[in-house]
Amino acid sequence: MMLSKPKKVKKSSRPTRDEFEMEELGNAIEEAYREKIEVIVTIWQREPLKGKISKLDGETKTVHILSEYETHKVKFIDILKVESAPR
């Protein structure tokens, strides 16, 4: 009897974006941080977060989002979209 090899599970890959899209996203994040506005951040393979951007960490390339009483550290590359939260 031959044993079959375990099937490889294909990971879903992060959507690719061009330089223009990355720059637009970066500008939206910086504006939300500077203006201290509440935003909804769409994140790859996670639930969207609603909150304010409290820190931009260029060294670790993470964005800190204060949502209610908890700070979430999200890698910039995982952020798909940033939009103003409805008031």
Side-chain angles (χ1 to χ4, degrees):
M1 184 168 118
M2 286 186 75
L3 294 174
S4 60
K5 290 182 181 177
K7 291 184 180 179
K8 289 184 180 178
V9 177
K10 186 178 180 192
K11 291 183 183 178
S12 60
S13 60
R14 183 183 290 117
T16 56
R17 293 163 291 176
D18 63 25
E19 202 174 304
F20 178 74
E21 290 172 304
M22 295 299 278
E23 189 174 331
E24 270 195 337
L25 182 62
N27 290 342
I29 290 169
E30 281 186 38
E31 182 181 353
Y33 173 68
R34 208 174 38 250
E35 302 292 324
K36 296 182 179 9
I37 56 174
E38 192 167 53
V39 291
I40 296 173
V41 181
T42 306
I43 304 164
W44 181 65
Q45 292 191 328
R46 268 179 67 180
E47 290 290 315
L49 283 174
K50 182 178 178 183
K52 291 184 180 180
I53 296 173
S54 60
K55 183 178 177 183
L56 302 174
D57 191 336
E59 201 171 297
T60 60
K61 294 181 174 65
T62 56
V63 176
H64 298 212
I65 302 163
L66 181 60
S67 177
E68 300 201 6
Y69 303 105
E70 189 177 357
T71 299
H72 302 268
K73 295 178 184 177
V74 180
K75 290 181 182 178
F76 173 73
I77 197 75
D78 288 342
I79 296 175
L80 304 176
K81 187 165 76 172
V82 175
E83 54 193 338
S84 296
R87 294 177 184 226

